[in-house]
Amino acid sequence: MTKLTELTLAEARDGLAKGDFTSRELTQQYLSNMEQGRELNSYIVETGDIALNMADKADEMIRAGNATGMTGIPIAVKDLYCTKDVHSCSASHILNGFKPKYESTVTANLWADGAVMLGKTNMDEFAMGSSNETSFYGPVKNPWRATKENGELETKDYVPGGSSGGSVAAVAAGMAIAATGTDTGGSIRQPAAFTGLVGLKPTYGRCSRWGMIAFASSLDQAGPITKTVRDAAIMMESMASYDVKDSTSVERTVPNYEHALTGDIRGMKIGIPKEYRMDGMPDEIEKLWQQGIEWMKDAGAEIIDISLPHTKYALPTYYIVAPAEASSNLARYDGVKYGLRVEGDGLDGMYKNTRAEGFGAEVKRRILIGTYVLSAGYYDAYYLKAQKIRTLIARDFAKAYEKVDVILTPTTPSAAFAMGEKSDDPIAMYLNDVFTVPASLAGLPAVSVPAGLSEDAMPLGLQLIGRAFDEETVLRAAQVLEHATGFSAKPKIWWGEK
Amino acid sequence: MAKYIQGATGEWEVVIGLEIHAQVSSEAKLFSGSSTKFGSEPNTQVSFVCSAMPGMLPVINEECIRQAVRTGLAMGCKINLRSVFDRKNYFYADLPQGYQISQFKDPIVGEGVIEVQLEDGSTKAIGVERLHLEQDAGKSLHDQHPSQTYVDLNRCGVALMEIVSMPDMRSAEEAGAYFRKIRTLVRYAGTCDGNMDQGSMRADVNVSVRRPGAELGTRSETKNVNSIRFMMQVIEFESRRQIDLLEDGGTVAQETRKFDPATGTTSSMRSKEEAHDYRYFPDPDLLPLEFTREFVDELAKGLPELPDAKKSRLVTDLGVSEYNASVLVADKENADYFEDLLGDLARKVGQNKAELATRAANWVIVDLFGALKKAGKSITESPISTQHGAELLALQVDGTISGRIAKDVFEIMLESGDNPERIVAEKGLKQMSDTGAIEAMIDEILADNQDKVEQYRGGKDKLFGFFVGQVMKKTQGKANPQVVNQLLRPKLDG
Amino acid sequence: MSVDKRTVAKIADLARIAVTEDELEPLVGELNNILEWIEQLSEVNTDGVAPMTSVVEVDLPWRADKVTDGGYRDAVLANAPESEHGFFTVPKVIE
Ligand SMILES: [Mg+2]
Ligand SMILES: [Zn+2]
């Protein structure tokens, strides 16, 4: 019999419904895997007691015939979500000890559907990072390690991507069926690609941001990280909702995303943007993309060349808009209401010491950049300019969607890299998000699907970007792609008992 | 007419601009559902949104939007169908978000002009630059603990309207008149209670001085002045201070100052020379605020008659004097009292309002306001209702009581709050109009005062008053004076 | 545009982050690298382009003027590093 923790979310749901096993049994196996995988550092806090409690309640729901797709499903929650009375610190020291007295809307939706919380996952501090190396709680290790020419696994550690690094590592290592992530510039899709998982960033406004610790308000979106596209569809339906407490949430009924997975994309128009063919892009990425195009063509889709002329400006635009918003969003961490306080000379001294000690280097860097680009005399040249280019980027997409239904691109310009490799060069690190950031700036739904392995057998992903609120088309295409890739690789287990 | 200040080296002109913060009348705060009630226990009217807990988001209160538009309409300003909320970033203990949500580039209300009346009877037009909506901050208490400041966030997030004037005022009197006018308008519109003791209205006072006709000088901004008297003191003090400074060859620093009511002086607020850089940018948690012309028109229809319109109606249609009309409309409650009373009176005696308005206005302003002022009461605390006031005046109009008796009845009403008709009946104060009885009384008085009758007939006309007085005295003021006159004159003239 | 030590110190002050003299120099380098990279945006012609104000095409939702929140002081103060008599407390501010 396969281990319960090898089941997909959909399989687990069906097994629970049939009574093959209980949520408590499923949860217990995950808790034991979590214990085995502690050296990956993917969880900041494990909430075993809460999980078993929730599992029992879920079993009750199932017995009573009130189950939904998520009932009894053990999931990991990114530390950025506020979970009532449970550690919620966005992996920052500045929120030291913070236990909110409220539950984020997205997690509340999941719990209402009977999902089970296994713990809070590690992440880049305040979601600022692409490698999960900026966490106050230490870096997360990718369960995947490259394979050397002699066929043996590398012994060095690889990054899982970021910022949802703990979430992807937990799912990839069998320590959660699925996980919540958040995506500001690629923080769901890039780590999903680095760990052979499906990561969906829905349309901005599809999920409520209420109770999500803000990084960049106009970009932040919640989304699922799962083993399969079907799993993403099931979990997305539970997470999404209109929320009167979030003024940017959109009032639209949440479709049954699983129903959209018809497996049929005949006649679907798929755009291939020429600007995503970048200088210095590794051959294997180019090849994978080409392969993806062939797969979609074989499935009956129509391939159309398109142009998104402002693509190259997306990343620098992002690195103005996101830090600017962050510099303001993070002003509330001042040692007064919650979290860390470090005394100093008077009130200002307390502020300065608290924030100097509470924030890590990358967060400080972004706060300083954000403060600078908003400051008197620079606002027009930086922030205003960036918001104008953002309009142009959104326009590029709008024009493209006059001709195509969905756009296919690589998710990342490379596979996961070794820990420490890029941590000294912020811009090299930022370049990880070059393919994911444009959709974020335009607020569009996008998914990363595992599509193959690199030369040294590390996972690679392809990205599908759709029209606003057309997650259904994105997921339908993604599932066809997933099927075509036949991707089934799993990381070889090197962690745990030696 | 320019009012210049004489300095040691010549004349100076003072230039004043006001930023008035008026608290919006609403049940809940601007972006959160907690209460705006005044005077509660610390931090009890605070939500997770007000206290800037991580992940909390603002959602706008529709009534605050309406109130801002109503105020804009009442001030005759342009209403902007699209406005934007910006973040004003700065750190302070009672600003939990680390920014204030305000409106910077695109306010909800644009330009307009306010006309104010000055003591010499002249009027002056003062420009309004804008009105924008913003969040109030919390309260810091510095005197509760030797080494700590206490922070109460109850006020934090309450909606404020910041009304910014043009630098159009030239004296403390003008600034006072402008502030009063704004206060009158928001109270008419019902958008702010204007209660200055509770901080519902306060002003940042910008003052600069210049040689007449010269370029604008550097201004100082005195923050949070919470009474009109203080505001006028600030202007007097600041203009004098700046003139002295300039005449001594110094320069005025552009700075924020605070007012000390105990000494009537202002002092610099920032110990450090710290330039503010608020880094305004549109709040990404909120979309632009948009509404239609119809929405604005609907609100305009719901506004009550405004003071300027009311005043001209009182003068033109009802014949109330300019002065009385100004006094009555300055406060909506006063005007309402007057109009209710006049309506009642007209109904009771079956006459036109216009025939009765002057009498009613005089009674309200002289008798009633005088008595209330003495008792330290406001019109809403008046022991005399509009119905009772109308009754009292009606009793005079129909001749039931004389003016003199009316004064006595009024005193009793103030004391007891009683109905005037009952007072008159119970105390037997009804006017005597029985000609037979009065005639008999006159005969008696004439007989008793033969010498005076002779003197009168000898040409001392003034004695007529003496005889009237005697009749009144004998009837304890109840004799109808007109009847007395009619009967007395032929008898005296013989 | 580039920043010098004085500017970085000023920004850090605005952002209320204590920065030691030793940290300043490396920060100047890092920030200038990023600013230089961002500089490429100046080549984009944005004449007549409206800045993006929101990615979603919806109207700002309005809520009714009702008291629906607050009244839970203990929960508000629960995470405060310091509080007393129902107040948050901070080092004394001398105005
Ligand atoms: Mg001001
Ligand atoms: Zn203000």
Side-chain angles (χ1 to χ4, degrees):
Chain A
M1 191 189 115
T2 44
K3 273 185 79 179
L4 290 182
T5 49
E6 281 165 20
L7 300 175
T8 65
L9 193 161
E11 288 163 353
R13 170 193 62 183
D14 298 344
L16 286 165
K18 277 191 282 179
D20 294 348
F21 46 86
T22 63
S23 175
R24 175 170 267 267
E25 286 162 356
L26 187 62
T27 302
Q28 270 165 338
Q29 281 208 18
Y30 273 106
L31 292 175
S32 124
N33 279 10
M34 285 158 69
E35 216 180 301
Q36 288 290 307
R38 284 195 182 135
E39 75 183 270
L40 297 176
N41 200 24
S42 57
Y43 282 92
I44 295 174
V45 177
E46 297 175 9
T47 54
D49 293 345
I50 295 173
L52 290 172
N53 230 316
M54 291 173 106
D56 289 343
K57 274 195 197 134
D59 284 328
E60 202 54 55
M61 273 173 87
I62 294 166
R63 270 196 294 277
N66 297 326
T68 73
M70 290 305 292
T71 309
I73 301 296
I75 59 168
V77 176
K78 191 175 182 179
D79 196 37
L80 181 144
Y81 291 86
C82 287
T83 44
K84 196 175 178 194
D85 293 325
V86 175
H87 182 285
S88 306
C89 299
S90 235
S92 181
H93 188 37
I94 205 148
L95 269 162
N96 192 37
F98 180 61
K99 289 183 179 169
K101 292 284 166 195
Y102 48 90
E103 186 77 34
S104 85
T105 299
V106 166
T107 48
N109 288 345
L110 288 163
W111 312 147
D113 283 344
V116 171
M117 176 167 73
L118 294 168
K120 303 297 289 286
T121 51
N122 207 340
M123 54 182 284
D124 279 299
E125 184 183 0
F126 282 110
M128 296 179 190
S130 307
S131 66
N132 213 124
E133 291 169 292
T134 71
S135 168
F136 175 70
Y137 299 91
V140 174
K141 295 176 183 175
N142 194 330
W144 290 80
R145 279 178 172 175
T147 304
K148 290 190 276 199
E149 274 177 31
N150 62 10
E152 280 173 25
L153 271 192
E154 281 282 3
T155 49
K156 63 182 174 189
D157 289 322
Y158 285 75
V159 304
S163 65
S164 310
S167 289
V168 293
V171 178
M175 299 190 290
I177 292 191
T180 64
T182 63
D183 192 312
T184 303
S187 282
I188 286 175
R189 292 160 286 162
Q190 183 255 16
F194 277 14
T195 51
L197 298 172
V198 173
L200 171 64
K201 180 200 94 79
T203 312
Y204 182 85
R206 178 74 286 186
C207 288
S208 169
R209 293 184 296 115
W210 195 87
M212 267 167 56
I213 298 174
F215 160 17
S217 309
S218 73
L219 296 154
D220 296 343
Q221 260 300 288
I225 290 160
T226 56
K227 298 176 186 178
T228 68
V229 173
R230 181 173 302 276
D231 291 0
I234 296 167
M235 189 160 166
M236 189 67 241
E237 191 180 332
S238 177
M239 293 170 74
S241 67
Y242 169 61
D243 187 358
V244 293
K245 293 184 290 188
D246 175 0
S247 297
T248 62
S249 134
V250 178
E251 190 168 8
R252 267 176 179 251
T253 41
V254 180
N256 182 325
Y257 291 117
E258 206 180 355
H259 282 171
L261 309 178
T262 61
D264 182 4
I265 59 160
R266 280 172 300 171
M268 189 184 280
K269 295 188 176 72
I270 297 187
I272 308 300
K274 63 168 190 263
E275 290 80 6
Y276 279 59
R277 207 156 266 125
M278 294 203 164
D279 292 345
M281 188 160 93
D283 274 353
E284 58 187 13
I285 300 292
E286 170 72 46
K287 252 171 41 199
L288 182 76
W289 190 13
Q290 203 48 52
Q291 178 66 65
I293 293 169
E294 295 305 322
W295 281 325
M296 298 311 264
K297 211 189 280 180
D298 292 347
E302 187 184 341
I303 303 299
I304 297 173
D305 287 326
I306 57 165
S307 171
L308 300 170
H310 296 90
T311 299
K312 82 176 258 216
Y313 302 110
L315 206 53
T317 296
Y318 175 85
Y319 275 95
I320 290 172
V321 175
E325 293 181 5
S327 71
S328 177
N329 282 335
L330 271 55
R332 66 188 54 197
Y333 306 107
D334 60 3
V336 179
K337 290 101 38 194
Y338 35 72
L340 185 73
R341 173 184 289 196
V342 182
E343 296 301 341
D345 186 11
L347 180 64
D348 267 340
M350 187 276 278
Y351 286 155
K352 287 180 183 174
N353 289 347
T354 299
R355 291 165 63 81
E357 201 170 312
F359 292 132
E362 180 61 21
V363 173
K364 282 188 219 174
R365 192 180 292 136
R366 295 203 200 183
I367 290 176
L368 293 179
I369 287 282
T371 303
Y372 181 67
V373 299
L374 288 176
S375 63
Y378 299 103
Y379 178 85
D380 287 4
Y382 289 117
Y383 189 77
L384 194 64
K385 180 89 182 176
Q387 288 291 39
K388 287 177 178 175
I389 296 175
R390 204 173 164 188
T391 299
L392 294 174
I393 290 166
R395 254 186 227 168
D396 285 354
F397 277 109
K399 247 181 101 188
Y401 287 120
E402 288 169 9
K403 292 195 291 188
V404 303
D405 301 309
V406 71
I407 293 167
L408 177 71
T409 77
T411 308
T412 58
S414 75
F417 43 89
M419 223 175 250
E421 201 177 298
K422 296 186 182 178
S423 34
D424 292 337
D425 185 352
I427 294 171
M429 188 67 88
Y430 298 168
L431 283 169
N432 268 290
D433 297 329
V434 67
F435 298 140
T436 49
V437 152
S440 298
L441 289 172
L444 302 172
V447 65
S448 177
V449 177
L453 295 175
S454 67
E455 271 175 15
D456 50 3
M458 291 293 277
L460 293 170
L462 287 173
Q463 174 180 233
L464 288 156
I465 308 168
R467 294 190 181 95
F469 294 100
D470 193 11
E471 282 82 4
E472 287 160 289
T473 300
V474 171
L475 287 166
R476 182 182 310 138
Q479 199 209 22
V480 168
L481 179 63
E482 176 184 53
H483 186 76
T485 65
F487 186 91
S488 62
K490 295 271 182 298
K492 293 196 186 76
I493 298 179
W494 50 264
W495 61 90
E497 284 161 22
K498 301 270 150 56
Chain B
M1 195 184 64
K3 301 157 198 152
Y4 298 137
I5 298 179
Q6 194 60 46
T9 60
E11 286 184 324
W12 294 89
E13 185 179 29
V14 54
V15 177
I16 303 147
L18 293 181
E19 292 160 30
I20 298 174
H21 283 97
Q23 181 183 323
V24 172
S25 296
S26 65
E27 295 295 318
K29 294 182 182 178
L30 181 54
F31 293 114
S32 88
S34 29
S35 169
T36 58
K37 218 172 96 228
F38 179 79
S40 302
E41 284 291 299
N43 290 311
T44 53
Q45 290 174 183
V46 179
S47 67
F48 297 133
V49 175
C50 314
S51 51
M53 291 285 157
M56 294 299 99
L57 298 169
V59 182
I60 197 163
N61 179 340
E62 59 182 9
E63 182 60 9
C64 298
I65 300 169
R66 291 202 195 95
Q67 295 290 51
V69 172
R70 285 185 189 114
T71 309
L73 289 167
M75 296 191 306
C77 290
K78 180 174 177 275
I79 307 298
N80 294 322
L81 301 182
R82 183 182 188 278
S83 62
V84 174
F85 287 100
D86 296 287
R87 292 187 183 176
K88 180 182 184 179
N89 295 282
Y90 66 97
F91 287 86
Y92 199 68
D94 53 25
L95 188 74
Q97 294 171 128
Y99 55 83
Q100 176 196 34
I101 305 178
S102 181
Q103 296 188 301
F104 182 52
K105 278 202 189 110
D106 301 296
I108 184 166
V109 174
E111 291 187 8
V113 175
I114 298 284
E115 200 157 274
V116 298
Q117 188 148 29
L118 301 174
E119 260 160 45
D120 64 3
S122 67
T123 57
K124 166 139 188 178
I126 292 160
V128 172
E129 189 191 302
R130 59 188 283 157
L131 173 154
H132 66 252
L133 275 171
E134 64 183 25
Q135 300 175 299
D136 203 350
K139 214 165 82 186
S140 292
L141 297 108
H142 305 297
D143 51 4
Q144 307 286 306
H145 190 282
S147 64
Q148 299 203 295
T149 289
Y150 283 8
V151 180
D152 171 16
L153 300 180
N154 277 350
R155 283 190 78 103
C156 188
V158 168
L160 298 177
M161 299 179 282
E162 180 171 334
I163 302 162
V164 183
S165 81
M166 306 280 194
D168 285 352
M169 289 155 274
R170 296 289 177 270
S171 67
E173 190 209 343
E174 287 179 16
Y178 168 80
F179 191 103
R180 261 184 225 107
K181 183 67 176 271
I182 298 287
R183 185 168 179 271
T184 299
L185 288 172
V186 293
R187 286 167 58 83
Y188 265 76
T191 58
C192 167
D193 64 19
N195 195 331
M196 302 188 65
D197 298 337
Q198 297 179 0
S200 294
M201 269 186 100
R202 48 197 201 262
D204 297 342
V205 186
N206 290 289
V207 177
S208 66
V209 298
R210 65 176 174 189
R211 294 294 184 186
E215 299 264 302
L216 281 177
T218 306
R219 67 191 165 87
S220 68
E221 180 179 3
T222 306
K223 289 276 191 193
N224 276 327
V225 184
N226 63 1
S227 90
I228 294 176
R229 194 165 56 89
F230 291 164
M231 185 180 77
M232 293 169 84
Q233 282 178 24
V234 165
I235 294 164
E236 302 292 355
F237 180 83
E238 268 302 297
S239 41
R240 188 38 73 186
R241 183 185 70 88
Q242 293 182 19
I243 290 168
D244 290 350
L245 207 60
L246 292 170
E247 290 193 327
D248 287 349
T251 52
V252 176
Q254 175 153 5
E255 61 179 357
T256 342
R257 300 178 70 86
K258 67 172 177 184
F259 177 67
D260 179 4
T263 58
T265 62
T266 70
S267 58
S268 188
M269 250 172 84
R270 312 226 179 270
S271 43
K272 250 186 332 178
E273 267 318 298
E274 182 200 295
H276 266 295
D277 188 340
Y278 291 123
R279 291 156 284 137
Y280 283 101
F281 76 108
D283 191 330
D285 288 331
L286 293 162
L287 302 155
L289 171 60
E290 290 172 301
F291 42 74
T292 60
R293 174 56 51 198
E294 289 70 53
F295 171 77
V296 177
D297 292 345
E298 204 53 45
L299 290 173
K301 265 189 249 159
L303 279 179
E305 183 184 32
L306 293 167
D308 287 359
K310 193 181 283 284
K311 183 182 160 191
S312 77
R313 182 171 54 82
L314 294 191
V315 172
T316 318
D317 297 0
L318 299 179
V320 176
S321 73
E322 280 272 343
Y323 173 80
N324 278 358
S326 300
V327 172
L328 288 172
V329 304
D331 212 317
K332 180 159 185 297
E333 268 101 30
N334 290 344
D336 286 348
Y337 187 97
F338 167 73
E339 295 223 61
D340 287 351
L341 176 132
L342 181 61
D344 267 7
L345 176 60
R347 226 169 305 122
K348 277 201 168 74
V349 303
Q351 292 181 20
N352 274 333
K353 284 187 192 173
E355 293 172 76
L356 301 161
T358 300
R359 178 195 282 265
N362 281 332
W363 180 80
V364 169
I365 292 169
V366 179
D367 297 37
L368 183 64
F369 288 180
L372 289 174
K373 195 171 176 190
K374 227 192 272 166
K377 283 181 177 159
S378 75
I379 189 78
T380 50
E381 300 161 321
S382 169
I384 298 175
S385 67
T386 52
Q387 292 94 322
H388 287 179
E391 243 170 56
L392 178 63
L393 290 174
L395 287 171
Q396 286 176 261
V397 174
D398 68 16
T400 308
I401 57 172
S402 68
R404 243 219 59 205
I405 292 293
K407 299 238 186 251
D408 297 341
V409 176
F410 177 67
E411 290 301 330
I412 298 166
M413 288 166 77
L414 281 175
E415 283 295 310
S416 64
D418 216 348
N419 167 341
E421 276 168 11
R422 185 166 344 137
I423 295 170
V424 169
E426 276 176 7
K427 308 235 165 190
L429 298 173
K430 224 176 197 154
Q431 189 155 260
M432 249 174 83
S433 297
D434 178 342
T435 45
I438 294 174
E439 207 172 346
M441 224 177 279
I442 290 173
D443 290 343
E444 207 175 303
I445 289 162
L446 294 187
D448 288 352
N449 294 282
Q450 273 305 321
D451 51 336
K452 296 242 165 49
V453 175
E454 289 310 314
Q455 284 172 22
Y456 174 85
R457 287 181 180 154
K460 217 169 172 190
D461 291 358
K462 275 190 196 147
L463 278 170
F464 188 77
F466 164 79
F467 292 108
V468 175
Q470 289 301 306
V471 180
M472 296 315 260
K473 199 171 162 192
K474 251 199 148 76
T475 59
Q476 282 136 10
K478 284 181 284 184
N480 181 330
Q482 264 172 323
V483 176
V484 174
N485 279 351
Q486 276 168 18
L487 295 175
L488 185 61
R489 187 143 336 246
K491 285 199 193 275
L492 272 175
D493 291 347
Chain C
M1 277 169 268
S2 68
V3 293
D4 53 18
K5 270 167 85 166
R6 209 182 56 87
T7 311
V8 174
K10 206 190 98 195
I11 301 166
D13 194 55
L14 267 179
R16 297 293 188 278
I17 296 174
V19 175
T20 63
E21 191 61 29
D22 301 349
E23 292 168 316
L24 266 184
E25 196 65 59
L27 269 175
V28 168
E30 283 168 27
L31 298 193
N32 277 333
N33 273 343
I34 296 169
L35 289 170
E36 196 184 307
W37 173 66
I38 287 170
E39 202 57 44
Q40 59 178 300
L41 295 185
S42 59
E43 68 195 52
V44 184
N45 182 355
T46 52
D47 294 350
V49 178
M52 183 177 274
T53 41
S54 79
V55 282
V56 275
E57 275 178 55
V58 286
D59 295 330
L60 181 71
W62 298 3
R63 56 163 236 282
D65 182 28
K66 294 216 176 75
V67 176
T68 55
D69 209 346
Y72 41 73
R73 175 160 76 187
D74 292 349
V76 163
L77 295 174
N79 282 285
E82 281 180 38
S83 64
E84 228 175 274
H85 310 305
F87 293 96
F88 291 100
T89 63
V90 298
K92 191 161 188 119
V93 179
I94 297 114
E95 281 203 317

